[in-house]
Amino acid sequence: MAQARVKARRASFLGGERFAVFAECLLTGVWIAVASLGVVTYPAAFAAGARHLRRRIGHEGSGLREFVEDFRAAVRGGWVVGLLGLAAAGAVWVDVLAVRAGLPGGPFVGAVGILALLGLVVALLRAGAVWTPGAPWRALLGDAGRRTVLDPAGSFLIVGGLGVVAVSAWFVVPLSVPVLGVVAAAAVAVEERPRHR
């Protein structure tokens, strides 16, 4: 009887399970940031973080060891995706420079480049949210690209998560690190939506 009361108190403390998931998201954001220090490893870091959160939400055992194992598996093909993502960001930066230089058609090309980059980022996050060991990145990105276009509401939710990270970084730079886990949770939630309809 006394144990039941203690469990009830724990469950009611700040939302109980919900607060625990939020705290896990923040911790996962730190893990993602640390694993992304290799620069081209950011897709693998995000995929490992999203998989960790999926296991946590599914009440499966998961911790730093599983995150590291997933990261190692994801980085095998994920580093190429990271390299291509950096190349795409570089191309958009050239577009922005063209806009600033006042080249004819620069504003249109710059706007198209920024929207395309945003679409690529959303597709990458959606692919990372459903990644599993052994899944080929090319197939994941193809499917995620289709979902990005066919599910605009979900894509806008992910863009909103990215906006939260940007605003957090603007206000307090260190806050943007744990908030990466919230973006991972948002991407996982967006990918889980069709299953619960």
Side-chain angles (χ1 to χ4, degrees):
M1 185 76 160
Q3 287 181 343
R5 275 188 252 142
V6 170
K7 285 183 181 180
R9 282 190 200 135
R10 283 185 192 155
S12 67
F13 174 71
L14 293 176
E17 181 66 22
R18 290 183 212 146
F19 183 75
V21 170
F22 179 68
E24 196 69 31
C25 288
L26 298 179
L27 176 63
T28 303
V30 173
W31 292 351
I32 291 171
V34 170
S36 296
L37 289 176
V39 182
V40 295
T41 58
Y42 65 90
F46 187 83
R51 186 150 191 264
H52 167 73
L53 290 175
R54 285 196 321 263
R55 281 195 303 260
R56 175 67 174 90
I57 292 166
H59 302 287
E60 300 172 29
S62 186
L64 182 58
R65 181 180 305 164
E66 290 81 8
F67 174 85
V68 170
E69 289 172 5
D70 286 340
F71 174 71
R72 286 181 181 156
V75 84
R76 289 187 194 114
W79 71 270
V80 175
V81 175
L83 194 61
L84 293 173
L86 289 176
V92 169
W93 180 249
V94 170
D95 285 347
V96 169
L97 292 178
V99 170
R100 295 179 112 188
L103 294 176
F108 175 74
V109 171
V112 168
I114 290 173
L115 287 175
L117 181 64
L118 190 57
L120 287 172
V121 168
V122 170
L124 177 66
L125 295 177
R126 291 184 87 141
V130 297
W131 176 87
T132 56
W137 279 98
R138 176 179 273 183
L140 287 172
L141 287 169
D143 291 343
R146 283 187 285 282
R147 289 191 309 274
T148 298
V149 173
L150 297 175
D151 179 21
S155 298
F156 284 124
L157 287 171
I158 293 173
V159 169
L162 293 171
V164 168
V165 170
V167 169
S168 300
W170 185 50
F171 282 122
V172 183
V173 175
L175 188 59
S176 63
V177 171
V179 173
L180 288 172
V182 176
V183 174
V188 168
V190 164
E191 292 301 317
E192 290 290 323
R193 278 176 41 241
R195 296 179 192 174
H196 297 289
R197 286 183 181 169

